[in-house]
Amino acid sequence: MLRLLRFSTNHPRIVVTVVAAVTILACLFIPRVRLQLDGRSLIPVDDPRLAASDKAAEFFGLRDVVVIAVVNKQTGIYTPETLERVARLSEGLERIDGVIASSVTSLATIPRLFISSDKINTRPLLNHGAGFDARTCEQVRFETESLGINDGVIVAEDGTGAAIFADVTPESDRETILKQARNLVDKEADGGDSVYLSGTALAQAALGQSAARDLMKLIPAVIFVVGLILMMAFRHFVPACVSLAEIGISLLWTVGLIGLTGHSVFVTTLVMPVILMAVGVSDDVYALSHFFEEARRDEGQPIVKVVQTAFTGVSRSVMITTISTVIGLLSLAITNLEPLRVFGIFGAVAILFSSLFTFSFVPALLVLLDPKLSKKQVSRKARETRGMLAIFNALSLAGPRRVLALVILSAGIASLMMTQLKIDDSWVKNLPGASDVYRGDKEINNSFAGTITLDLMIDSAEAEGYLDPEKIKTLGSIEDAISELPTVGSVRSVYSDILRVNASLRGLNYSDYRNAVLKGERELTRGEVEQAMLLMASVRRTPITEQIDRQYQIARVTVFIRSANYERIHDVLETAARSALKISTAANAVTPFGDGWISYLTVRLLVEGQVWSIALALLTDLALLSLLLGSIRTGAIAILPVVFSLLVVFAVLAATGTPLGIANSMFAGIAIGIGLDFSIHLTSVYRQGIKKGLAHGDSLKRALIGTGPAIITSAVAITAGFSVLVLSEVAPNMQLGLMICLSLLVCAAATLILVPSLVMARRTAR
Amino acid sequence: MNRRLSITVALALFSFACALSFSGCGGNRTDAGQIRKGVLKANLPEPGKIEAVQGAGVPSVSELISGYNARNFGSPGWRRVSLDLITNGQLTRAFTVVNLWKDDKQEVRTLFLLQEPTGLRGTNYLLAERRAAAEIPDMKVFLFLPSGERQVLEIEPSKFNEGLLGSDFTYTDLRMQLPTGGYNYKLAGQCVLNNEPVWVLEAEPVSETVRQSSNWSLARFYLAQKFQFLIGADYYTDSEESEGGRKLSKKMRVVNFEQINNVWTATEINMHSDENHYSILKMKDARFGLPKIDARLFQSNELSVLADSIRAGWTPEKLSATNP
């Protein structure tokens, strides 16, 4: 590293030229970076927990969906105007590129088995192009209610809303679909109906758009804020420009590398450049502080000598802090969530590039630019020294043991509060509150059965198992058991469809017939089951194979959960597993899949990943610091401030009811990586003082004066950098910004208070 | 750089490598839409290049249609067929169906009596085609369901292109004649299919209503030149993405056929409408020209009687002796 430093200061033009050339090369690969929008991409392809559910999803042809809802609270939907609107929107949705036309499901498309004058009719309730009058509307209401279609999925139970669902092809451009769906809805703006948009496909696109808008806004903001803070800290524009150029180039190299290696970025971690710009400034603050200090000590020195002396002086601590930051970020890579892994690995790469530039590009630029020291900078040093001495004296006066007792008490309370921490994530909840998709989803969750579905594949363990009336009735009992959960909006399976067909053939009301079968007042024979299956198999529009396999062995139960979250999905899974025992005792009788399952699994992986990654990062950092500082005790002291700051942030999240999700969970890795830098600088200088033979008190004072101002500058600069995330439209990004700011401020304060107190307390004890 | 720092850097690099392999970065990436459906390797006879035809010896469209519709199909007669539904190369459902048909010059009536699976035994269809009808619908389909209310139901004409028994064959695929109304026909040329020279007859629905109920916008029928027989058919739907604005949506091929008692009959027909799903109709047994078959059997109100007889063990072999 020192050889590189010498080469860079002696040949600055070569270094700058090489860096510029490689940067241009890196930029060529940036267009190859792909943005992943689908939910399944969050979890690796080969995750064993998803192998079975992937097969189930393929088996039943599961895809991302678009939902359009038409709501009229005043008149309900059974009016010519509203029903025509539903028919128009259904037809319009069929024509959207990427939407599978045959999958559009609404009152205007689903075949209903209706018998009139001994004629079997499977035409949709609403016919395209057919005129609607009051009598037709009343007939639609009668048939909808009679067939039990008003179960909250395509028709709201109270008849005030009608929904249109459609599948999208996996390769379709979600943003194009969102744009066309918005156009479709905009055309229906007139009239008394409210039209809403939702569905995973649209939520992904809307989130992608919000994240892209965020980037356009946040990158200039973070450049401005970090630049301003650096200008204020050094009272000079050169360090700000040099530091920002260095961070920007390391980012370009990293993004180019992502493109070169064919990796993708995820919408939940699209804010990575903003985070890395804020993180990357850390080392520069220490290195440039030393540079100005060196320049101040001997103003007559040639610039090459000043740069070499200053950067050599910080090489050790910058190396250590780089390692700790890299460890913090890499700790994210051990999780089983792709966005965190990609962020962790490439974030670490960006930090390594940044540190490499700290000893090559930055010194080269400083040599070329040769910044001159101003008088203001000289007077500032005296003020900083006085401030640090005041901290030291205050700690001595208050008594280190008292300070420690207060910290332990705070940590204890924070640990207790942490037990209430919620973990949750969803595409829609991540959207800005003003988003049409967010508002649409909220309304659909209020008026309908919910937008998140959990699918269950239930194996009867034998071919034609579900032709057995007892087994198909057990499928019905699973439906009924799940339906009783208060958060479940609706449950569907082939059992409901069989009863619906049989009720139609008998001219009975579906609900009455279902209750009669449930009470045993009406028998369900194998012939009736087979007959109903045969009729459904004949209808092309809604293939029965989306509900049951062609051998009638494996059935799908779809559960609509209102405002689905981890606990609600967990309740459904437990109920289903208990009920399914009547069908098969096999351990794999129930295979969950679909959006709800991915969301549930994501949360579980997030919890497991957080525990392991934080533990691993702290243990690795402890081992490294103990080795570098030559003392396990000093290593442990250096770790404590960051541990304390993590506890405080988790406690604040729990207290405010903010759930930990994929995007905001990145805070732990970042906080460990950067927060540890503070105590590394302080303890390193303290240990150097001890080695030089200074008394503990003097060494501590020297360490505080030497590193305290830089710790504060760094904490303020990075916090200011991260604070721009509060401008984000995406709630988790905003939360991430606040969490890192809080964590770093607590960590910096804990470093300047807790570390000296622990050292003082230890000396007093001796 | 001192020794301790070197060890630290080495440790960091080691942990970096561990994390990389632990994370599986590179080999483990998620690839949305990674699931690909296997494309069926169908080994079906395909038509050769279609050659334009004109001049003497070339039949007109109306001659072709009327010749085909007037062919001898052994009326009255019966055959027992197996209908196998294949998904992803595996047999998922098998039916045994007995077919009875009778041509009374005004109408051709065909019965489909389900014998297997046992649970569906007695489920019957009756298909009645009017001869030389200028308008469509030129046929009616009745269905008898033996369980529950034991109703005879008529199927809406707009649903004649739904799958019979969930197979790839629709009600219209099983009719004995080519419809004379509702479609514009043209002779597209000739080619060879399944080693037989064939005329290629193209049909297009005359109206949007007919197109919607047909589920196709163009059909190509391959009619044998040497005898009256339909050897294959291709059905196309409109598609903006496909070349020529149409894509092949369904394909029927008579894989095997033979002449029995002067009647040309298919012994195996394959129908493909989906890359992972197709249906095979195989003839197991047949009798042609049985004058004793009672015309009353072909009435919709007799379907329930037929169902009861079938459930009581009636087989078509008994037709040569007595009617059910």
Side-chain angles (χ1 to χ4, degrees):
Chain A
M1 198 59 81
L2 296 179
R3 273 188 201 163
L4 178 68
L5 174 66
R6 275 197 296 276
F7 179 84
S8 304
T9 47
N10 292 333
H11 308 280
R13 284 179 205 281
I14 293 175
V15 170
V16 171
T17 309
V18 169
V19 169
V22 178
T23 307
I24 291 165
L25 193 68
C27 289
L28 296 177
F29 292 101
I30 292 175
R32 288 175 57 176
V33 177
R34 288 175 298 142
L35 175 65
Q36 287 280 12
L37 284 171
D38 60 315
R40 177 61 187 84
S41 64
L42 299 177
I43 303 170
V45 176
D46 57 354
D47 190 291
R49 279 165 288 198
L50 270 185
S53 67
D54 275 346
K55 273 189 188 165
E58 184 197 9
F59 198 78
F60 290 111
L62 190 79
R63 295 185 176 94
D64 287 332
V65 295
V66 174
V67 186
I68 298 179
V70 181
V71 176
N72 194 320
K73 300 278 185 196
Q74 272 77 44
T75 61
I77 58 159
Y78 302 108
T79 63
E81 187 195 353
T82 307
L83 291 181
E84 273 172 25
R85 199 183 302 284
V86 172
R88 267 199 312 274
L89 285 166
S90 302
E91 212 174 334
L93 198 53
E94 283 179 7
R95 286 199 295 267
I96 287 181
D97 298 332
V99 167
I100 301 166
S102 60
S103 73
V104 175
T105 307
S106 75
L107 280 178
T109 65
I110 59 154
R112 89 294 191 231
L113 194 92
F114 194 75
I115 295 157
S116 168
S117 311
D118 284 341
K119 240 183 190 179
I120 188 165
N121 194 341
T122 54
R123 272 188 196 157
L125 284 159
L126 308 179
N127 281 316
H128 290 290
F132 297 98
D133 53 21
R135 212 177 117 261
T136 316
C137 294
E138 207 40 52
Q139 178 67 16
V140 171
R141 180 207 292 273
F142 170 73
E143 288 188 28
T144 303
E145 290 172 359
S146 171
L147 295 169
I149 294 171
N150 57 335
D151 60 352
V153 179
I154 62 165
V155 177
E157 282 179 51
D158 59 2
T160 58
I164 306 156
F165 287 79
D167 291 347
V168 301
T169 55
E171 67 282 359
S172 59
D173 180 359
R174 307 294 201 262
E175 286 199 30
T176 309
I177 294 173
L178 177 61
K179 193 178 162 195
Q180 294 184 29
R182 278 178 174 152
N183 287 342
L184 199 63
V185 168
D186 288 346
K187 283 182 199 158
E188 300 292 339
D190 299 335
D193 303 324
S194 303
V195 185
Y196 300 100
L197 283 175
S198 185
T200 42
L202 300 188
Q204 290 157 8
L207 193 58
Q209 287 181 344
S210 293
R213 275 199 303 272
D214 260 8
L215 271 190
M216 301 300 289
K217 184 168 61 184
L218 296 179
I219 289 182
V222 77
I223 290 172
F224 174 76
V225 171
V226 170
L228 190 72
I229 296 286
L230 290 174
M231 286 271 285
M232 285 166 66
F234 296 111
R235 309 287 165 101
H236 208 295
F237 75 96
V238 169
C241 295
V242 167
S243 183
L244 287 173
E246 179 251 298
I247 300 161
I249 288 170
S250 44
L251 260 178
L252 289 175
W253 281 34
T254 307
V255 181
L257 194 64
I258 294 174
L260 181 68
T261 54
H263 281 82
S264 302
V265 292
F266 298 81
V267 72
T268 40
T269 52
L270 205 56
V271 75
M272 182 163 93
V274 180
I275 295 170
L276 292 177
M277 285 188 94
V279 175
V281 81
S282 176
D283 284 342
D284 294 345
V285 170
Y286 294 102
L288 292 168
S289 290
H290 265 73
F291 167 74
F292 281 113
E293 212 168 291
E294 191 60 34
R296 203 162 30 232
R297 215 154 44 86
D298 187 354
E299 289 184 34
Q301 280 187 97
I303 183 71
V304 173
K305 181 90 172 72
V306 174
V307 171
Q308 282 182 356
T309 312
F311 280 72
T312 304
V314 292
S315 65
R316 184 186 165 84
S317 57
V318 166
M319 285 286 282
I320 300 170
T321 55
T322 298
I323 292 166
S324 74
T325 309
V326 165
I327 288 171
L329 289 168
L330 277 184
S331 71
L332 295 171
I334 70 157
T335 66
N336 255 330
L337 291 168
E338 280 299 283
L340 293 188
R341 286 179 7 167
V342 169
F343 179 81
I345 290 164
F346 287 100
V349 169
I351 295 303
L352 287 175
F353 282 147
S354 173
S355 297
L356 181 75
F357 293 150
T358 301
F359 293 98
S360 54
F361 183 64
V362 171
L365 273 186
L366 286 174
V367 168
L368 290 175
L369 296 169
D370 192 9
K372 301 293 176 208
L373 204 63
S374 71
K375 281 184 181 165
K376 286 176 188 170
Q377 286 167 312
V378 181
S379 63
R380 200 170 140 249
K381 182 68 193 168
R383 262 205 325 272
E384 287 169 356
T385 306
R386 279 199 302 276
M388 288 304 114
L389 280 174
I391 291 173
F392 183 80
N393 292 335
L395 286 175
S396 304
L397 206 64
R401 282 167 190 260
R402 275 189 209 150
V403 174
L404 286 179
L406 197 66
V407 170
I408 291 167
L409 182 68
S410 311
I413 294 167
S415 303
L416 281 175
M417 287 168 73
M418 246 181 70
T419 57
Q420 301 302 311
L421 182 64
K422 283 184 186 164
I423 296 180
D424 200 9
D425 208 322
S426 97
W427 291 105
V428 173
K429 285 176 194 162
N430 289 344
L431 286 171
S435 156
D436 52 351
V437 178
Y438 179 86
R439 283 184 286 115
D441 190 80
K442 206 171 163 188
E443 182 55 41
I444 294 169
N445 272 295
N446 287 336
S447 302
F448 294 84
T451 49
I452 298 285
T453 57
L454 172 70
D455 288 281
L456 305 165
M457 184 172 88
I458 303 180
D459 194 340
S460 69
E462 58 176 324
E464 301 194 345
Y466 285 117
L467 295 181
D468 175 354
E470 288 313 309
K471 287 208 167 168
I472 197 80
K473 274 157 85 176
T474 309
L475 198 63
S477 69
I478 295 174
E479 263 193 34
D480 292 336
I482 296 172
S483 298
E484 281 173 20
L485 294 170
T487 54
V488 168
S490 183
V491 188
R492 285 192 160 190
S493 77
V494 73
Y495 173 75
S496 312
D497 294 333
I498 287 170
L499 295 194
R500 200 167 275 127
V501 169
N502 285 342
S504 277
L505 290 173
R506 287 177 162 82
L508 297 174
N509 177 284
Y510 164 73
S511 304
D512 297 343
Y513 178 71
R514 186 176 177 125
N515 285 334
V517 172
L518 182 70
K519 290 175 189 164
E521 293 164 4
R522 276 190 180 268
E523 205 190 343
L524 188 64
T525 64
R526 185 182 173 106
E528 286 174 310
V529 174
E530 282 204 54
Q531 205 168 265
M533 294 273 202
L534 184 77
L535 284 173
M536 289 190 286
S538 305
V539 179
R540 288 201 192 282
R541 182 77 202 195
T542 46
I544 190 176
T545 49
E546 287 183 4
Q547 299 293 330
I548 193 162
D549 72 320
R550 290 178 191 269
Q551 289 180 311
Y552 306 123
Q553 178 181 333
I554 300 164
R556 171 187 180 182
V557 175
T558 304
V559 186
F560 289 78
I561 306 171
R562 286 200 178 95
S563 305
N565 60 21
Y566 183 83
E567 283 87 9
R568 291 178 178 194
I569 296 171
H570 184 76
D571 288 346
V572 173
L573 288 170
E574 289 225 312
T575 309
R578 262 198 317 273
S579 314
L581 287 175
K582 293 177 205 161
I583 290 183
S584 170
T585 49
N588 58 352
V590 179
T591 305
F593 64 104
D595 286 342
W597 173 242
I598 289 176
S599 160
Y600 178 84
L601 197 59
T602 301
V603 170
R604 267 174 54 180
L605 293 174
L606 193 60
V607 175
E608 289 167 16
Q610 279 286 294
V611 171
W612 282 106
S613 69
I614 291 174
L616 187 76
L618 290 176
L619 283 173
T620 315
D621 277 332
L622 179 64
L624 284 168
L625 288 178
S626 302
L627 195 70
L628 290 165
L629 299 171
S631 156
I632 294 175
R633 195 169 301 194
T634 314
I637 288 172
I639 290 274
L640 281 176
V642 81
V643 174
F644 180 71
S645 72
L646 291 182
L647 283 176
V648 169
V649 175
F650 280 130
V652 169
L653 285 181
T656 55
T658 309
L660 194 68
I662 292 181
N664 62 14
S665 70
M666 291 187 297
F667 105 90
I670 299 165
I672 292 172
I674 310 172
L676 206 57
D677 293 2
F678 303 150
S679 53
I680 288 172
H681 286 290
L682 185 70
T683 47
S684 293
V685 177
Y686 166 72
R687 291 289 300 175
Q688 278 170 15
I690 298 292
K691 275 187 187 168
K692 282 180 185 169
L694 288 175
H696 285 281
D698 292 338
S699 182
L700 189 60
K701 223 183 277 181
R702 179 176 167 271
L704 267 175
I705 292 164
T707 62
I711 288 171
I712 292 169
T713 307
S714 175
V716 170
I718 300 170
T719 302
F722 277 108
S723 68
V724 302
L725 285 175
V726 297
L727 301 172
S728 172
E729 290 179 26
V730 183
N733 287 344
M734 195 170 74
Q735 291 158 9
L736 176 68
L738 291 172
M739 285 156 73
I740 296 176
C741 289
L742 177 67
S743 164
L744 292 184
L745 290 177
V746 171
C747 190
T751 302
L752 294 177
I753 296 169
L754 187 60
V755 173
S757 298
L758 281 165
V759 173
M760 284 182 199
R762 203 172 131 221
R763 302 323 312 165
T764 315
R766 285 189 180 177
Chain B
M1 207 182 295
N2 63 30
R3 198 174 154 209
R4 203 176 278 168
L5 195 59
S6 306
I7 294 167
T8 308
V9 172
L11 270 173
L13 284 173
F14 178 70
S15 62
F16 187 88
C18 285
L20 270 175
S21 64
F22 202 8
S23 68
C25 186
N28 238 5
R29 286 184 303 107
T30 298
D31 182 8
Q34 72 279 11
I35 300 160
R36 292 276 178 271
K37 288 184 177 177
V39 177
L40 181 77
K41 300 271 190 298
N43 192 19
L44 289 178
E46 289 301 327
K49 194 184 170 197
I50 299 172
E51 296 165 8
V53 286
Q54 56 185 27
V58 176
S60 67
V61 167
S62 59
E63 281 171 342
L64 273 174
I65 295 171
S66 59
Y68 176 77
N69 287 350
R71 78 191 185 283
N72 173 17
F73 46 83
S75 171
W78 68 264
R79 67 182 154 220
R80 182 183 286 112
V81 295
S82 65
L83 173 60
D84 294 342
L85 276 53
I86 315 286
T87 307
N88 295 324
Q90 284 192 322
L91 176 69
T92 51
R93 199 92 174 117
F95 299 93
T96 303
V97 182
V98 170
N99 240 189
L100 277 78
W101 64 92
K102 186 171 173 57
D103 180 6
D104 66 3
K105 306 303 171 194
Q106 297 298 314
E107 268 191 340
V108 179
R109 291 188 165 236
T110 312
L111 281 165
F112 298 86
L113 315 174
L114 238 74
Q115 289 203 311
E116 285 171 337
T118 321
L120 289 171
R121 186 177 290 167
T123 303
N124 302 333
Y125 291 88
L126 171 65
L127 196 147
E129 298 171 65
R130 272 191 293 144
R131 274 199 175 279
E135 290 175 352
I136 59 158
D138 58 350
M139 70 173 197
K140 285 185 173 184
V141 180
F142 299 93
L143 162 68
F144 175 74
L145 299 167
S147 298
E149 301 295 296
R150 296 176 54 82
Q151 294 145 294
V152 175
L153 301 164
E154 192 183 335
I155 291 174
E156 268 273 308
S158 61
K159 299 296 160 189
F160 288 166
N161 277 288
E162 302 269 84
L164 175 78
L165 304 171
S167 73
D168 299 273
F169 290 96
T170 65
Y171 301 107
T172 47
D173 292 328
L174 296 168
R175 55 189 297 167
M176 291 287 192
Q177 305 176 94
L178 290 173
T180 46
Y183 299 94
N184 289 325
Y185 287 97
K186 80 166 188 193
L187 183 61
Q190 61 179 359
C191 68
V192 173
L193 176 62
N194 207 6
N195 300 320
E196 281 295 331
V198 291
W199 300 116
V200 183
L201 192 62
E202 282 187 352
E204 281 185 278
V206 292
S207 66
E208 182 59 21
T209 317
V210 179
R211 195 198 62 75
Q212 276 188 8
S213 70
S214 304
N215 277 346
W216 46 264
S217 58
L218 175 82
R220 201 170 267 171
F221 300 108
Y222 302 97
L223 294 165
Q225 290 184 352
K226 295 180 195 162
F227 49 97
Q228 296 296 348
F229 195 70
L230 181 68
I231 290 184
D234 290 328
Y235 300 90
Y236 297 85
T237 50
D238 290 335
S239 168
E240 287 172 9
E241 292 156 11
S242 306
E243 202 179 325
R246 285 194 171 115
K247 69 166 185 187
L248 184 65
S249 62
K250 204 168 75 163
K251 181 158 72 171
M252 185 277 277
R253 292 289 181 271
V254 175
V255 179
N256 293 309
F257 55 94
E258 56 185 273
Q259 195 178 28
I260 305 170
N261 296 341
N262 288 324
V263 177
W264 284 100
T265 187
T267 51
E268 183 178 337
I269 308 173
N270 282 20
M271 182 67 89
H272 286 245
S273 57
D274 185 281
E275 61 180 19
N276 289 328
H277 186 245
Y278 65 100
S279 306
I280 304 172
L281 202 59
K282 273 187 187 163
M283 195 180 78
K284 289 177 161 181
D285 202 357
R287 298 284 187 283
F288 303 109
L290 297 170
K292 282 187 179 177
I293 293 183
D294 190 339
R296 281 177 302 173
L297 288 178
F298 296 91
Q299 301 302 315
S300 59
N301 53 7
E302 289 293 314
L303 288 174
S304 60
V305 180
L306 267 171
D308 291 339
S309 301
I310 291 165
R311 285 181 155 190
W314 174 84
T315 60
E317 281 81 359
K318 292 177 183 172
L319 280 173
S320 49
T322 53
N323 284 320

